[in-house]
Each structure stands twice: as structure tokens, then as C-alpha cells.
Amino acid sequence: MQQQHKVEWAQVLRPAIISIIFFTVLTGALYPMLITGLAQVIFPYQANGSLITDAQGNVIGSALIGQEFSDPAYFWGRPSATSPVPYNAAASSGSNYGPLNPALIGEGGLIQTRIAALAAANAAAGVTVSGAIPVDLVTASASGLDPHISPAAAEYQVLRVAAVRGLDAAVVRELVAQHTDSRTFGLLGEARVNVLELNLALDALEGT
């Protein structure tokens, strides 16, 4: 009887161990190597992080991760609530404040502070912008990493950026249009403007 049990356990363990080894090699090594290799051949830009480089080839950011801009000569992106610094890709998160949280909407709250910063930048540039401030300029996203703003958010900043840089607003507006991506496949998401790419194009336009 004891010998019979040993035989039965061997019959169970042997295929189990072989299966573990086989699928470990297949899914833990061969499959990742295949997908990584295909990605490097077919989509090398995306597979390596959609990195953006300057004229000297230095990496200055990613098309997928926002950056903080506070200089009025540049377009500002969507606020970030990541910690300990904005747009921290290692700690993607939102503020988790509810829509009625005083820290968000109260006097001196985050939204009022951001509205005041935009108003101050417009005043310093000597421009008056009519209409409501687009919501994505004063509210952080759930990820805190958004590299894009809406076309409305870009339009709201055109006069300020043009005035600070001494450019015609029509020139800046055309640059925004050139860097506005439409819905993916014409169906998914919304039109959007990559802030870093737009700001780099502004600098290139001025030769700075």
C-alpha cells in the first residue's frame, strides 16, 4: 500500500513540476523577450517611454508625463497633486478631495489659489481674458501626470503667452493648432494639446 502511494504521488508531482518549469520559462522569459523585441522593432519610440530630446539629443521629458510650468511666457499644464513634487511619476495620485472639500473650493483653497495665479499672470502680461477659466487649468487629474490640456485651456493662455513673448496672438494660436491632437481614431477621448511639445515649439519659434 505504501509503495502504491509513492507511485501515485510521483505521477502527480512529475507533471506539476514540469508544467511549472515550462510555463515559467514560457511566460516569465520567452514571452517578455518576444514582446520586448517586437516593441523595439515596431514601436521603439513608445517602447522606450516616448522620450523628448532637445537639439543636442539630451532627454528633457516624456510626451506621457506632464511637467510644471509657472513662467508666464509658457503654457501651463494641468495642476498635479502628486507628492512630494508635482508630476512625480513614482507616486501617481490625485488629491482625493471631494468636490465640496473646503481645501479644494473654500476661500484660499486650491482652486481659488490657481485662479488667482492665472489672473495675476494675465495682469502682469497686461492682457484681459474674458470667459470662464477651463476646468482643467484649476483642477488636478486622478493621476497627477497629465501631459495634455484641452484646446480651450490653451486658448485661454494664448494672449498672455503672446504678450510676454512679444508675438502676434495669431502666430501663437496657429502653433497651438499645430500641436492639437484630435480624438484617437476619431472616436476615443477628446482633442488635446501636449504642453511640453507646445512650449518647446514656442522656444524653437523664437530661436531660444
Side-chain angles (χ1 to χ4, degrees), residues 150-171:
S150 64
E155 174 60 31
Y156 184 85
Q157 302 180 76
V158 164
L159 293 180
R160 185 199 75 227
V161 172
V164 173
R165 289 179 176 260
L167 297 172
D168 189 296
V171 173

Side-chain angles (χ1 to χ4, degrees), residues 70-74 76 114-127 157 160-161 163-164:
S70 57
D71 188 328
Y74 290 99
W76 297 356
R114 293 162 183 163
I115 290 174
L118 288 166
N122 288 338
V127 300
Q157 302 180 76
R160 185 199 75 227
V161 172
V164 173

Side-chain angles (χ1 to χ4, degrees), residues 31-126:
Y31 178 76
M33 289 172 61
L34 173 64
I35 296 303
T36 300
L38 289 175
Q40 291 295 331
V41 172
I42 303 173
F43 306 110
Y45 174 70
Q46 292 86 347
N48 290 298
S50 301
L51 301 178
I52 298 175
T53 57
D54 60 16
Q56 289 72 43
N58 300 313
V59 175
I60 56 177
S62 168
L64 304 176
I65 306 295
Q67 293 188 22
E68 185 174 24
F69 291 94
S70 57
D71 188 328
Y74 290 99
F75 285 87
W76 297 356
R78 186 165 190 180
S80 172
T82 63
S83 62
V85 295
Y87 306 101
N88 181 5
S92 173
S93 64
S95 67
N96 290 331
Y97 289 141
L100 301 180
N101 193 305
L104 188 65
I105 65 171
E107 187 68 28
L110 290 173
I111 289 181
Q112 291 300 322
T113 300
R114 293 162 183 163
I115 290 174
L118 288 166
N122 288 338

